[in-house]
């Protein structure tokens, strides 16, 4: 078993909460009169998604909530191919969709998700990510709503995992192998 250690905390619980409040103000302004379907990409986005929709409620936005499970990672490496492990069931024909993911890395997951949602009949698809690692981008994609831009570190916590562990941490930290 690989030994690993949690290094620096990049974003504390308080910093994340403050940033989400600003992000939601922006989202609420753009989407006030629309019927929104929000789709969280599991499992990484679960904590971010829950905090987002709670904050949106306080801004008078009441989206339909959906989830889909997609996977492109194994350990700390992107496998390059995105798979839908679990489809959502809501009819999104003609809907304005906001798809939410934990982190935008190579861009493959969101690129795939946008195409998939358009094929399923969405009228528009906006993207929202908590973290953005622009250095790692392979596909030319920018999210509409971004919590924090980060350098190329593997990060854990607040929904993000290393092989299934650390998702429950209420903060985001860097993970580096022990030497
Ligand atoms: P792509 O490359 O498709 O990546 O933009 C998006 C997915 O990759 C995972 N990912 C990470 N997961 N720490 C993680 O726990 C990271 O630093 C990291 N970087 C990418 C994540 O599942 C995301 O949905």
């Amino acid at each position: 078993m690989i030994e690993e250690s949690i290094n620096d905390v990049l974003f504390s619980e308080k910093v994340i909460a403050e940033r989400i409040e600003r992000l939601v103000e922006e989202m609420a302004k753009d989407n006030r009169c629309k019927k929104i379907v929000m789709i969280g990409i599991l499992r990484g986005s679960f904590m971010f998604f829950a905090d987002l929709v709670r904050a949106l409620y306080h801004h008078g936005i009441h989206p339909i909530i959906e989830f889909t499970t997609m996977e492109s990672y194994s350990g700390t490496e992107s496998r390059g191919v995105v798979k839908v492990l679990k489809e959502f069931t809501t009819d999104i024909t003609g809907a304005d969709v906001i798809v939410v993911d934990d982190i935008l890395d190579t861009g493959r997951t969101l690129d795939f998700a946008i195409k998939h949602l358009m094929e399923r009949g969405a009228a528009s698809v906006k993207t929202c990510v908590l973290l953005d690692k622009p250095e790692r981008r392979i596909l030319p994609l920018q999210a509409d709503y971004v919590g924090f831009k980060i350098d190329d570190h593997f990060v854990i916590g607040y929904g993000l995992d290393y092989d299934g562990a650390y998702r429950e941490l209420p903060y985001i930290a860097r993970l580096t192998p022990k030497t």
Side-chain angles (χ1 to χ4, degrees):
M1 157 144 179
I2 301 169
E3 281 187 50
E4 66 272 352
S5 59
I6 298 173
N7 274 10
D8 344 88
V9 171
L10 291 183
F11 304 108
S12 67
E13 230 177 313
K14 183 167 177 283
V15 167
I16 295 170
E18 285 167 358
R19 181 66 192 118
I20 287 179
E21 187 48 38
R22 300 287 85 76
L23 206 55
V24 160
E25 282 168 12
E26 215 183 306
M27 291 170 85
K29 195 158 50 108
D30 295 349
N31 298 288
R32 186 148 309 283
C33 300
K34 295 185 187 161
K35 187 88 191 133
I36 301 293
V37 178
M38 276 182 75
I39 304 186
I41 301 181
L42 294 175
R43 286 165 281 180
S45 75
F46 80 95
M47 210 178 271
F48 177 44
F49 191 92
D51 285 346
L52 268 184
V53 296
R54 260 186 295 219
L56 281 167
Y57 167 83
H58 293 295
H59 286 267
I61 306 285
H62 306 285
I64 304 286
I65 305 293
E66 255 296 2
F67 294 99
T68 180
T69 308
M70 292 185 183
E71 199 183 61
S72 67
Y73 256 63
S74 171
T76 61
E77 290 305 316
S78 173
R79 281 197 290 250
V81 179
V82 183
K83 284 193 299 191
V84 179
L85 301 184
K86 195 163 184 289
E87 246 327 341
F88 59 91
T89 52
T90 300
D91 179 7
I92 60 164
T93 310
D96 293 305
V97 173
I98 301 177
V99 62
V100 179
D101 204 0
D102 50 359
I103 185 163
L104 175 53
D105 187 37
T106 64
R108 288 185 183 116
T109 304
L110 274 190
D111 181 70
F112 175 87
I114 294 166
K115 288 178 182 145
H116 186 64
L117 295 168
M118 292 307 288
E119 276 166 17
R120 296 259 322 239
S124 69
V125 179
K126 282 189 179 164
T127 52
C128 175
V129 293
L130 178 66
L131 301 172
D132 182 5
K133 281 188 202 171
E135 268 176 58
R136 295 253 315 157
R137 203 78 88 253
I138 287 173
L139 298 175
L141 201 102
Q142 290 197 22
D144 296 291
Y145 306 102
V146 174
F148 304 100
K149 287 201 171 159
I150 60 169
D151 293 334
D152 182 13
H153 309 300
F154 193 81
V155 290
I156 49 158
Y158 198 70
L160 291 139
D161 73 310
Y162 173 71
D163 268 354
Y166 306 115
R167 289 193 198 277
E168 76 285 9
L169 300 179
Y171 54 84
I172 292 167
R174 284 175 60 177
L175 183 84
T176 45
K178 246 183 202 161
T179 47

